[in-house]
Amino acid sequence: MKSELLPALEAVLFAGGEPISAARLVKVFDIEPDELHELCAALRDKLDAENSGIKLLSLDGAYQLVTREEHEQYIKEAFDLRRRTPLSQAALEVLSVIAYNQPVTKAFIEQVRGVDCSGVVGTLVEKELIEECGRLELPGRPLLYGTTKNFLRCFSLSSIKDLPPLPGKEDAAAPDLGEQLMVSTLAEEEIGDEQ
C-alpha cells in the first residue's frame, strides 16, 4: 500500500505548491494519521536518498515540497529573482515579540518596544510573516496578530514550539491575554484622552 501511495503523495504535494494539512491528506488518501506520518517519512527518506533538489517540509500540521537551500542561487538566476531586502532590526524585534507571545495586540507590541509599530506591523503583514488572527473583546476591538506558515517556512521551523527558549526562561511564555487586556485598555484610555 505504501509503495503505491508514495508517488501519489509526492504528486499531490508538488501540484499543491502550498502547505497541505495532514487532516486533508488523511482524507484524500483514506488512511490513518499514523500511516500518513509513515508515508511522509518514507517520502522524506526517498528524496534524501535520491539527492533530490526538493525536500519535504513539515509545517505545524501541514506538509509542503520545497527546494533545497543549496540551490537558491540557481533558482534566483533562472527566474531572475531579486535579492529580497532583509528585515530591519525593528521588524525583527516586532516579529520576536509576536512569535513568543502570540496572539498579541499592536498596543502590547508597542508597550514592549516603547515606540509606535504601525509601519513595521504593516510591513510584516505585507511580507506574510504575520497575520490578523482575531480581535480582543474590548472597546474598539483591537486586532490580534500571530505568525503565519510563511514565518515557519522562512525560519525553518516545523512549529512555533521549535522557537529557541528565551534567555532566562525555561520555555517560551504562553500568551498572557490578561496583560494584553490591561495594555489594550490603557492604550484605549490614552487614545480617548487625546481626543
Side-chain angles (χ1 to χ4, degrees):
M1 176 170 144
K2 190 187 291 185
S3 60
E4 64 192 44
L5 289 181
L6 197 60
L9 174 64
E10 185 175 10
V12 167
L13 292 172
F14 178 80
E18 295 291 321
I20 301 176
S21 72
R24 184 171 182 131
L25 291 171
V26 163
K27 284 182 184 177
V28 166
F29 293 107
D30 193 25
I31 57 177
E32 295 296 318
D34 289 344
E35 292 175 292
L36 177 66
H37 180 70
E38 289 175 18
L39 198 59
C40 288
L43 179 57
R44 187 176 289 118
D45 292 345
K46 173 186 175 274
L47 294 171
D48 289 344
E50 293 173 351
N51 197 22
S52 174
I54 58 175
K55 66 180 182 177
L56 179 64
L57 276 186
S58 172
L59 299 164
D60 199 21
Y63 294 95
Q64 181 179 14
L65 287 177
V66 298
T67 57
R68 294 190 188 270
E69 296 86 0
E70 58 264 29
H71 306 302
E72 178 182 7
Q73 174 191 348
Y74 301 112
I75 295 166
K76 283 182 177 181
E77 209 169 300
F79 293 98
D80 195 28
L81 300 176
R82 291 189 196 135
R83 188 174 186 172
R84 294 184 183 194
T85 54
L87 293 174
S88 67
Q89 184 64 35
L92 288 171
E93 289 172 10
V94 168
L95 197 53
S96 296
V97 171
I98 294 169
Y100 281 99
N101 298 287
Q102 61 187 309
V104 297
T105 61
K106 190 167 75 69
F108 178 81
I109 300 165
E110 290 171 350
Q111 180 71 26
V112 171
R113 292 196 65 237
V115 294
D116 178 66
C117 298
S118 300
V120 176
V121 167
T123 299
L124 292 173
V125 168
E126 197 175 283
K127 289 183 179 276
E128 298 179 351
L129 294 172
I130 64 170
E131 64 187 354
E132 296 173 4
C133 58
R135 291 182 177 271
L136 275 182
E137 294 299 325
L138 284 175
R141 299 198 40 174
L143 287 168
L144 290 168
Y145 292 95
T147 55
T148 63
K149 289 195 186 307
N150 190 41
F151 166 82
L152 296 175
R153 189 172 35 253
C154 288
F155 288 90
S156 299
L157 300 169
S158 293
S159 109
I160 205 69
K161 294 174 189 168
D162 293 339
L163 282 170
L166 291 169
K169 294 194 177 194
E170 291 87 39
D171 60 329
D176 185 354
L177 287 177
E179 185 178 340
Q180 287 185 54
L181 287 170
M182 185 182 74
V183 169
S184 294
T185 303
L186 290 172
E188 293 284 334
E189 289 171 3
E190 286 174 15
I191 291 168
D193 290 344
E194 291 172 4
Q195 293 175 348

